[in-house]
Amino acid sequence: MTAQQTGSSAPTGGDSLVALENVDKWFGELHVLQDINLRIRRGEVVVVIGPSGSGKSTLCRTINRLETIDKGAISLDGQPLPAEGKALAQLRAEVGMVFQSFNLFAHKTILENVTLGPIKVRGIAKAEAETRARELLDRVGVGHQAEKYPAQLSGGQQQRVAIARALAMEPKVMLFDEPTSALDPEMIKEVLDVMVDLAKRGMTMVVVTHEMGFARTAADRVVFMADGAIVEENTPEEFFGNPRSDRARDFLSKIL
Ligand code: ADP
Ligand code: MG
């Protein structure tokens, strides 16, 4: 282990893969992120829960700089987030993101959806990208759909393709923002199963979800947000069994 640089103003995040330090963000008058401190270790699965409007999506979006911050610092794998240009594109390739809406390219096949990033951004040869894409599509259970278009697949299948597409970039961390919220109930499990498998394989994951079963099974840590702040964080056992704050107790009483 090399010595950490000291005396440098750039945050290194220590041994964290993702580190947010004293992060503040405003949307006009709205203080949407309030002094957020969050360190995510390599291989850790962090579930973020909290009421609607508490800042969960904004938090995710700051990590791949889809949103800028007003104060504080964010680092990925010891490097401060680049502001723009090629370095920013590089960073985004290292942070996989899966949204509530699947956001697949409608006029490209499933296979093309998964190979596009690796070919264009990573510069991988088409044949190699296709081999890898087919492996990933098999892994998420949609290998037989590779030549189809997104609209020909169910919502659950499309979301699994979106996960495969993110994984094809070989990200260091995967962010999931309510990945099952837009799905019919019978399709939720097939997506959660893929996520549980990914967690078991050691992927570093930040997951915003209302699926408390997933949080209990797969999370190393639950982070509870309310009104832009992290109110409480704990292991799932402790958080669900013994929530400390009134806000968390109130929230859990409504969803459990
Ligand atoms: P959550 O994901 O927890 O529901 P969000 O991060 O989406 O919360 O939103 C937090 C707050 O910020 C909400 O009050 C929302 O209306 C507001 N907000 C989100 N995005 C924007 C934006 N681009 N401009 C202004 N306000 C926003
Ligand atoms: Mg949200």
Side-chain angles (χ1 to χ4, degrees), residues 25-28 30-33 48-61 67 177-178 208 210 225 227-228:
K25 178 173 181 66
W26 283 264
F27 283 125
L30 179 68
H31 197 175
V32 63
L33 295 179
V48 180
I49 67 172
S52 178
S54 54
K56 306 180 298 296
S57 293
T58 305
L59 176 72
C60 279
R61 291 165 59 82
E67 296 283 359
D177 190 0
E178 300 203 27
V208 179
H210 298 296
M225 285 185 76
D227 295 332

Side-chain angles (χ1 to χ4, degrees), residues 74-96:
I74 303 179
S75 63
L76 178 72
D77 210 1
Q79 303 295 319
L81 295 197
E84 56 188 9
K86 206 172 170 197
L88 179 57
Q90 193 70 39
L91 165 102
R92 293 221 171 105
E94 294 184 346
V95 181

